[in-house]
Amino acid sequence: MSYNVAVVGATGNVGREMMNILDEREFPVKEVFAIASRRSVGMEVSFGDKTLKCQDLATFDFSRCDFALLSAGGDVSKEWAPKIARTGCVVIDNSSAWRYDMDVPLIVPEVNADAVAGFRKKNIIANPNCSTAQLVVALKPLHDAAKIKRVVVDTYQSVSGAGKEAMDELWNQTKGIYVTDEPTPEVFTKQIAFNVIPHIDVFLDDGFTKEEWKMVVETKKILDPKIKLVATCVRVPVFVGHSEAVNIEFENPISAKEARDILREAPGLLVIDKREDGGYITPVECVGDYATYVSRIREDPTVENGLSLWVVSDNLRKGAALNTVQIAELIINRGLIEKRA
């Protein structure tokens, strides 16, 4: 059985990656439609060996499709996800618009697959924030083994998480510095080339940023509402690939060796943890991979039952496009959708 799939936001970083992953994973596609805003109508995007022309979101008939994969931003999703869902097409949304709606499941298939059945309430499923996705994939097997009490996470997030213009800004500033041009921040609040910026999304009244708040709320919704989590989210001059330094406090004892063995057997994870020069994964090495990598697994002697980890993943893949496609695969594999007539 094959399915019609619409990719909304097909010209963006994540939309293009969705196209790549649908092809790579041989998703049972009958036809793929590239959908974009009116200004992008007619632009060409690749799907395998085919070239697709973008169609207008405002006029496209979504009743033709079984799945709509949305990556066009929160405002577009708030307006269009319900409209698309009412046609009977299942919406899987990559923005933050629906993540905190109690009637919309927030899914990472390796972590909370059973929750996907709740999509029928609104015919919408939410994809988590890119940093949350890779974090909970690593936390889930450890939580099952020793029950997590508290997590402290510092993120090192690539510029691709802020879109193509952010990637261009890093590239242009880096080139400019070498020819003595003064870096002019436009996308970011400060120079990003050869710098780090401890600020992602808007500031909230308590001093945290919304990105940090997202990680707290989403981890609780996906994994366990009892887990206490605090985050510091930092933008770094890396094009693709998010990294996280994760400190975990457990209710029950767990050694670094036990954690290493558990993580090696867990779905979606690869452990690269050699205590030697280069015996760990960095962002440039994870680009294009499906896996979430875990390195630097060690016991924290400052707390009872504590571990520290280093977690790295391609944010355009597991943090966005891959997770979206995996959700669609999950729905099919569990028989939760019937082919549209």
Side-chain angles (χ1 to χ4, degrees):
M1 190 175 289
S2 56
Y3 301 85
N4 287 341
V5 180
V7 176
V8 180
T11 60
N13 286 341
V14 175
R16 291 176 186 273
E17 203 63 39
M18 286 175 178
M19 295 285 195
N20 292 336
I21 291 171
L22 286 167
D23 178 59
E24 288 173 16
R25 293 176 71 87
E26 298 182 347
F27 189 89
V29 163
K30 181 179 181 182
E31 191 169 359
V32 173
F33 302 93
I35 311 298
S37 63
R38 187 158 292 157
R39 68 178 179 274
S40 298
V41 170
M43 284 184 62
E44 295 183 342
V45 295
S46 297
F47 173 65
D49 57 1
K50 298 178 181 178
T51 300
L52 307 179
K53 287 191 175 181
C54 288
Q55 301 184 51
D56 187 358
L57 170 63
T59 59
F60 183 76
D61 180 8
F62 284 93
S63 67
R64 305 163 61 188
C65 295
D66 303 284
F67 294 99
L69 313 183
L70 272 61
S71 186
D75 290 340
V76 171
S77 181
K78 284 176 186 176
E79 178 183 357
W80 282 95
K83 295 179 183 178
I84 296 169
R86 283 194 291 270
T87 71
C89 177
V90 178
V91 174
I92 306 174
D93 180 49
N94 192 58
S95 79
S96 62
W98 299 96
R99 292 173 188 161
Y100 317 111
D101 187 317
M102 296 308 296
D103 290 332
V104 174
L106 180 63
I107 300 296
V108 176
E110 298 92 335
V111 179
N112 65 334
D114 290 345
V116 77
F119 82 91
R120 289 193 177 96
K121 291 179 180 177
K122 290 191 173 179
N123 218 29
I124 300 171
I125 303 165
N127 202 53
N129 184 45
C130 47
S131 295
T132 306
Q134 69 185 67
L135 176 65
V136 295
V137 170
L139 293 183
K140 166 66 173 173
L142 299 176
H143 185 53
D144 289 346
K147 199 166 186 182
I148 294 171
K149 291 170 57 178
R150 180 173 182 260
V151 178
V152 180
V153 55
D154 298 318
T155 72
Y156 307 82
Q157 296 179 225
S158 65
V159 295
S160 58
K164 183 180 181 301
E165 290 181 352
M167 298 176 76
D168 291 342
E169 181 154 303
L170 173 58
W171 175 248
N172 292 331
Q173 285 186 3
T174 303
K175 288 191 300 180
I177 286 170
Y178 281 112
V179 294
T180 68
D181 284 350
E182 185 71 24
T184 303
E186 294 179 2
V187 176
F188 298 110
T189 56
K190 292 180 181 283
Q191 172 188 324
I192 184 61
F194 304 99
N195 198 18
V196 298
I197 304 172
H199 174 195
I200 300 177
D201 213 321
V202 298
F203 276 97
L204 305 177
D205 290 342
D206 60 4
F208 287 95
T209 65
K210 193 171 182 181
E211 185 83 355
E212 293 156 356
W213 174 85
K214 289 175 187 176
M215 293 193 72
V216 175
V217 176
E218 292 173 19
T219 299
K220 288 176 177 290
K221 183 174 179 178
I222 295 168
L223 188 54
D224 187 338
K226 294 180 181 178
I227 290 176
K228 296 178 180 179
L229 186 145
V230 64
T232 300
C233 294
V234 181
R235 192 71 73 186
V236 297
V238 171
F239 283 106
V240 178
H242 286 359
S243 305
E244 297 172 348
V246 187
N247 182 265
I248 314 167
E249 186 178 353
F250 298 87
E251 286 192 11
N252 303 309
I254 182 169
S255 68
K257 182 184 183 306
E258 289 170 331
R260 200 174 292 112
D261 292 341
I262 290 166
L263 293 169
R264 283 197 174 112
E265 298 299 319
L269 292 174
L270 279 177
V271 175
I272 307 294
D273 188 23
K274 299 177 182 178
R275 295 178 177 181
E276 60 187 42
D277 292 351
Y280 42 81
I281 289 290
T282 60
V284 293
E285 297 162 288
C286 79
V287 175
D289 284 356
Y290 289 160
T292 294
Y293 288 89
V294 183
S295 305
R296 302 291 319 280
I297 303 165
R298 59 209 187 275
E299 291 159 24
D300 177 0
T302 68
V303 296
E304 189 174 2
N305 306 328
L307 291 176
S308 290
L309 319 170
W310 176 250
V311 181
V312 180
S313 187
D314 182 329
N315 57 293
L316 297 180
R317 293 208 147 201
K318 185 54 187 173
L322 171 61
N323 200 71
T324 304
V325 174
Q326 286 178 305
I327 292 169
E329 292 171 342
L330 177 64
I331 291 171
I332 293 170
N333 293 338
R334 295 203 170 196
L336 299 175
I337 186 173
E338 293 183 4
K339 177 84 170 62
R340 304 290 297 280

